[in-house]
Amino acid sequence: MSVDLDERHPLAQVLTLRGWTGESYLRRVAERHQALGYGTLAARKEKISRWTRSHQPQTPSLHTRLAMADVLGVDAREVLTRPWPHWLMLALQDETTIWESPWTPAGIIHALDHAGGPPVDLDRRGFLITTTATLTATLAHWSTATPAPARTTGGRRISATVAEHIERRLAHLRHLDDALGSDHVYDSARAETQLVRRLLTDRTYSAATGQRLHACAAEASRLAGWCAYDQGRTGAAEEHFATALRAAAGAGDPTSAAIALAFWANLRYTQPTPDPLGALDLIDGALTHRTTITSPRVLTLLHLRRARAHSIARDPAAAYRAIDDALTAYVHGTPPEHDVPSLYWITAGEVLQAAGSAALTLNDPHRALVYFQAAATHPDPYDPHKEPRGTAIYLTRTATAHLSRGDVDGAVETARRALDLMAGVGSARGNDSLSVLRTQLSRHRSAPVVRDFLAETEQ
């Protein structure tokens, strides 16, 4: 028995991509419908015909659509926010180009072409697209990759001056992200990756200039990954971070690679279903090259990421050791102007803020508040004017620590500061942090100060 499908319908395209028949897909959906607690679903072949016909098609029930999305690996939120059948387009992305391309100059170009997938309308959200095996294979390939050679034929020759211009553009983008938020900067970061890709393919250059251009591609991809992550577009973020790692390999630059791995690790352990062990694999992969990492701030960042991953894995001894390692690396570092430009935001205050976050995750709000207070009063403080979004997120954690110790007034006062900082900054991650804090505060609605705050912020 076969199921009739309109081949133009997104569902027909999905089944073709996956190599499934209509009947086998319906069986999968019925099984997932039952497993999700929605009850029994009849897997009659007529259903797909009704859903996909060109004249007056039927729309599956919400529970059926949620089961379908779960089978296809599409986030349930997309089903709730996108009409049928448009969200099915999210299952049509083929990510194998990013993960299976060879670790060669041509493979880097291919990844730069495909990272992030189609425009935002077709971008999957909140879905990790890599398995532990994929992470392991990626790290192994990176460890053995060789720098890209010079390009001597194919176009007009360019010099290192071009790379200098791009480096300045990327510096401006980083600061725009701080001031405006990731939703304003993502498209610009992607545009920079495409500019560098064109230079790498259309022009000739020396090995030194080519490697510098690859380093620019790594940073542009890292920044695009960060912006995608901050907007909750996890799948796109992973593609960008993996591409940054490839480009860093082409640059022969372990320091750039370590930065990409540190940001990728942060993504892994902050998901709704965190993967701290996968994050630790990425960090450990970077630290195996610690002797070739030229930046003390990069080493500091890697140890901070280790601390957060260990705290999420509920290993306090390892987490606090990693915090000590981060402080030691930072103390033995150099001034920001002598370190990598992209980590200008790493200060002693940042280290202490991250330490407070780890302590809070480990259910030690007293220690967390000690760290948070030290971050604000340290001679090398965390500067809220440089990164209002990050400061707001840290303040929401500080407010949570106050709540955990029964200090409702302190929590509300801190929440107000966080809310003020997030005004005008586009960040799904920052908004989610404020939303979680509001939920936590709502449990203390009997306190007048909380009622007033919630009433003001609901308007």
Side-chain angles (χ1 to χ4, degrees):
M1 277 192 315
S2 63
V3 175
D4 293 329
L5 286 163
D6 182 341
E7 63 182 15
R8 297 166 299 179
H9 195 280
L11 182 55
Q13 298 177 50
V14 167
L15 298 186
T16 299
L17 179 64
R18 303 295 177 98
W20 294 342
T21 65
E23 290 94 333
S24 66
Y25 177 62
L26 281 172
R27 286 195 298 270
R28 286 180 169 89
V29 172
E31 291 169 1
R32 200 63 54 88
H33 194 277
Q34 183 81 33
L36 290 171
Y38 300 148
T40 302
L41 177 70
R44 294 192 299 270
K45 67 173 186 175
E46 300 84 17
K47 289 188 174 184
I48 289 187
S49 299
R50 292 170 184 163
W51 297 336
T52 64
R53 64 193 179 194
S54 58
H55 179 65
Q56 294 185 331
Q58 293 182 358
T59 299
S61 70
L62 175 59
H63 285 169
T64 300
R65 281 178 276 145
L66 290 171
M68 295 170 73
D70 202 56
V71 168
L72 297 171
V74 175
D75 193 287
R77 288 174 294 183
E78 302 294 349
V79 178
L80 300 175
T81 58
R82 298 173 190 264
W84 168 268
H86 297 289
W87 60 264
L88 283 168
M89 300 297 291
L90 306 180
L92 287 174
Q93 297 182 66
D94 181 4
E95 293 117 358
T96 59
T97 55
I98 302 296
W99 310 105
E100 296 181 3
S101 295
W103 282 67
T104 61
I108 295 170
I109 298 301
H110 199 57
L112 289 170
D113 269 335
H114 289 82
V120 174
D121 284 347
L122 297 183
D123 190 35
R124 294 201 290 185
R125 296 174 183 264
F127 185 72
L128 290 170
I129 60 177
T130 52
T131 63
T132 300
T134 304
L135 294 180
T136 301
T138 299
L139 289 169
H141 286 304
W142 165 61
S143 294
T144 58
T146 57
R151 190 167 190 266
T152 57
T153 59
R156 186 165 65 84
R157 189 173 181 83
I158 55 175
S159 69
T161 303
V162 174
E164 291 175 9
H165 290 312
I166 296 172
E167 288 162 358
R168 293 192 195 101
R169 288 159 64 101
L170 290 171
H172 288 305
L173 277 184
R174 286 191 292 266
H175 290 291
L176 279 174
D177 171 54
D178 293 340
L180 300 177
S182 55
D183 62 341
H184 293 79
V185 175
Y186 177 68
D187 289 340
S188 296
R190 289 197 69 182
E192 292 298 315
T193 66
Q194 294 310 303
L195 171 60
V196 179
R197 181 197 64 77
R198 288 185 63 187
L199 293 173
L200 289 171
T201 55
D202 297 348
R203 300 300 177 92
T204 58
Y205 38 78
S206 68
T209 297
Q211 288 167 21
R212 196 163 171 180
L213 287 171
H214 278 86
C216 288
E219 173 57 12
S221 296
R222 195 280 309 169
L223 182 57
W226 160 255
C227 291
Y229 158 70
D230 192 55
Q231 289 302 310
R233 302 206 297 272
T234 308
E238 287 210 295
E239 291 182 355
H240 286 302
F241 291 141
T243 300
L245 191 63
R246 284 178 178 270
D253 186 359
T255 301
S256 293
I259 295 172
L261 289 168
F263 276 82
W264 194 350
N266 180 61
L267 178 151
R268 297 294 299 194
Y269 62 61
T270 54
Q271 291 307 295
T273 305
D275 178 26
L277 298 183
L280 287 169
D281 286 342
L282 294 170
I283 297 162
D284 291 342
L287 286 171
T288 59
H289 298 266
R290 72 183 73 200
T291 58
T292 57
I293 294 173
T294 58
S295 163
R297 275 178 167 75
V298 171
L299 291 173
T300 300
L301 178 61
L302 289 169
H303 291 308
L304 288 180
R305 299 298 198 235
R306 283 178 60 233
R308 292 291 286 124
H310 281 304
S311 71
I312 292 166
R314 296 297 187 268
D315 188 344
Y320 291 125
R321 278 198 305 272
I323 290 170
D324 290 340
D325 290 340
L327 286 166
T328 299
Y330 185 77
V331 166
H332 289 91
T334 56
E337 60 269 20
H338 297 148
D339 211 319
V340 293
S342 62
L343 294 190
Y344 60 90
W345 50 276
I346 293 286
T347 63
E350 170 68 31
V351 176
L352 292 166
Q353 292 277 28
S357 297
L360 185 62
T361 301
L362 290 166
N363 297 318
D364 191 346
H366 174 74
R367 186 182 296 204
L369 286 171
V370 170
Y371 280 132
F372 288 140
Q373 180 62 27
T377 58
H378 195 280
D380 180 22
Y382 185 96
D383 187 350
H385 301 292
K386 287 183 178 178
E387 223 280 79
R389 167 190 49 205
T391 304
I393 291 172
Y394 280 133
L395 285 173
T396 63
R397 295 171 186 169
T398 305
T400 297
H402 281 302
L403 273 182
S404 298
R405 290 178 56 78
D407 182 4
V408 175
D409 289 342
V412 171
E413 179 185 352
T414 307
R416 289 186 185 281
R417 292 165 56 201
L419 194 64
D420 290 342
L421 282 168
M422 277 302 297
V425 178
S427 168
R429 193 170 53 97
N431 292 333
D432 286 346
S433 295
L434 288 170
S435 178
V436 169
L437 178 58
R438 280 179 48 81
T439 300
Q440 293 169 341
L441 284 168
S442 68
R443 302 179 188 128
H444 302 266
R445 194 180 288 270
S446 59
V449 66
V450 172
R451 285 201 304 273
D452 291 345
F453 174 77
L454 294 176
E456 292 168 12
T457 56
E458 283 170 357
Q459 297 173 357

